[in-house]
Amino acid sequence: LSYFLSRWNMKPILKSWQQQQDFVANAAHELRTPLTIIQSKMELLLTKPNEKIISQMEPIALSLAETRRLNQLTRDLLMLARSDSNMTQVTRQPTQMKSFLEQVIAPYSEIAASQDKTFTAQIDLDNAQMIDQKRIHQLLVILLDNALKYTQTGDQVQFKAQIHGNHWQVEVADTGIGIAPENRKAIFQRFYREDKSHSRHTGGNGLGLAIAKWIIDSHQGTVKVLTNEPHGSRFVLSFPIEHIKEHHQQ
Ligand code: ADP
C-alpha cells in the first residue's frame, strides 16, 4: 500500500482527510459541553419558572426543542467522525440476549400508547451473544424511534427477535408511511432524508441510519429493508451466532 501511496503521491490527500475527520470530531466535542449546559439551564427554567419567566414559557420551550436537536446532531456527528478515524471502540461482552432485549424495548409500549399507537414484541432468543451492549442498544433505539416517527395514530410497531439458521435476527416492522424500494439503499447515507420537509417536521437529522449501519457492520451483521405488507417498513437485521465457551455468561 505504501508503495502505491508514494507512487501516486496520495499521502497528502490521506493526511488532509484524516485532518478533516479530526477537525469534525474536535469541533463536535467542543460544542457538546456548552450545548449541554444551555439545555440543562433551559430545562431548569421550565421546570421551576419564576414570575418573570411565566410569560416567556413558549419561546423558551421552542428554544429548548431546538437546543435538544442541536445536541443530538452534535452527538451523532461526533460518533460518525470518531468512527471514521477509528477512534470509536467496540467493546463486546457476553450478553444474555432475552433479558438485554427486554430492557431495551421496555419503554416502548408506554411511548407508543402515549401516541395512540400499538407496540408488540416477541423475543425467541434465549442464548448469550458477544455484543457491544451500548452500541446494540443505540442501534435498536434508532430503529424503534424511526418506526414510531414514521407512523401515524392507530399504526402498529412490531419487534421480533429469533434464531434463523446460524444467525440471530432482529426485526423492527411498522405499518407507517413506508420507504420506496429505489430509496432503500440511500437511507443509510449521511444526511439523507426521504422527504426533507416531512423529516424536518418530525425532527430528524438524517444521521440515525448511517450510525445504525456502522454499528451493524461493526458486529459483522447485515440489514435488509423490506415492505411490511400491506404497507410500512420492515428492517431485518442479521448477526452471526457466536458460541461462547471461555467467557462467563452474564
Ligand atoms: P432521520 O433523522 O431523518 O429519521 P435516519 O437516518 O434515521 O434520519 O433515516 C433516514 C430517512 O429514512 C428518514 O428521513 C426517512 O425518510 C427514512 N426512514 C427511516 N426509517 C423509516 C421508517 N421506519 N419508515 C419510513 N421511513 C423511514
Side-chain angles (χ1 to χ4, degrees):
L1 179 69
S2 56
Y3 167 77
F4 287 111
L5 289 178
S6 55
R7 193 177 151 85
W8 292 324
N9 201 20
M10 294 282 282
K11 269 185 177 158
I13 295 172
L14 274 187
K15 197 172 168 217
S16 76
W17 162 252
Q18 183 61 47
Q19 277 170 346
Q20 250 184 47
Q21 296 317 305
D22 291 350
F23 174 74
V24 176
N26 289 338
H29 182 74
E30 290 303 317
L31 283 169
R32 280 206 61 191
T33 312
L35 277 174
T36 308
I37 295 171
I38 295 170
Q39 183 177 322
S40 63
K41 294 282 178 208
M42 281 182 180
E43 279 165 347
L44 196 69
L45 278 181
L46 287 180
T47 43
K48 290 186 183 156
N50 60 28
E51 273 171 27
K52 277 192 210 150
I53 297 295
I54 297 262
S55 60
Q56 300 296 321
M57 295 287 267
E58 206 183 308
I60 296 176
L62 253 172
S63 312
L64 176 60
E66 289 303 307
T67 311
R68 282 192 178 134
R69 265 168 50 83
L70 208 53
N71 233 333
Q72 183 63 45
L73 177 64
T74 317
R75 263 201 300 271
D76 289 351
L77 278 176
L78 185 60
M79 156 105 201
L80 285 169
R82 280 185 172 158
S83 65
D84 285 342
S85 327
N86 293 325
M87 278 158 66
T88 309
Q89 300 268 327
V90 176
T91 317
R92 296 204 198 193
Q93 57 191 109
T95 304
Q96 277 301 343
M97 293 306 289
K98 195 171 168 63
S99 55
F100 168 76
L101 293 174
E102 278 169 357
Q103 266 179 31
V104 174
I105 61 168
Y108 282 93
S109 300
E110 216 172 291
I111 299 173
S114 72
Q115 301 174 10
D116 291 322
K117 297 170 190 171
T118 321
F119 176 75
T120 56
Q122 185 185 338
I123 301 177
D124 298 321
L125 196 59
D126 243 340
N127 56 8
Q129 289 300 316
M130 293 296 285
I131 59 165
D132 183 324
Q133 295 182 3
K134 200 171 139 201
R135 299 287 168 223
I136 295 289
H137 189 147
Q138 186 180 12
L139 162 67
L140 298 177
V141 165
I142 290 169
L143 296 180
L144 287 165
D145 283 356
N146 275 351
L148 282 172
K149 205 156 62 171
Y150 299 106
T151 44
Q152 287 154 4
T153 307
D155 273 326
Q156 292 169 23
V157 173
Q158 259 188 330
F159 178 87
K160 261 195 214 169
Q162 64 207 359
I163 301 284
H164 190 82
N166 50 4
H167 286 73
W168 58 274
Q169 279 192 348
V170 170
E171 278 188 38
V172 178
D174 64 65
T175 57
I177 60 172
I179 303 164
E182 63 273 21
N183 296 335
R184 287 179 187 166
K185 261 200 179 140
I187 54 172
F188 294 99
Q189 289 167 11
R190 293 172 188 190
F191 293 112
Y192 177 87
R193 295 177 224 164
E194 191 146 297
D195 172 349
K196 293 188 195 306
S197 58
H198 181 85
S199 289
R200 168 96 197 157
H201 173 67
T202 51
N205 63 26
L207 290 177
L209 288 181
I211 292 176
K213 184 71 171 67
W214 181 83
I215 298 172
I216 294 165
D217 290 346
S218 73
H219 283 73
Q220 287 75 48
T222 56
V223 54
K224 273 193 253 169
V225 185
L226 309 166
T227 305
N228 189 32
E229 298 301 340
H231 56 86
S233 320
R234 193 153 71 95
F235 285 76
V236 182
L237 316 182
S238 201
F239 299 93
I241 287 181
E242 292 180 40
H243 298 285
I244 305 165
K245 288 189 193 117
E246 306 97 77
H247 304 276
H248 289 296
Q249 297 184 0
Q250 58 168 40

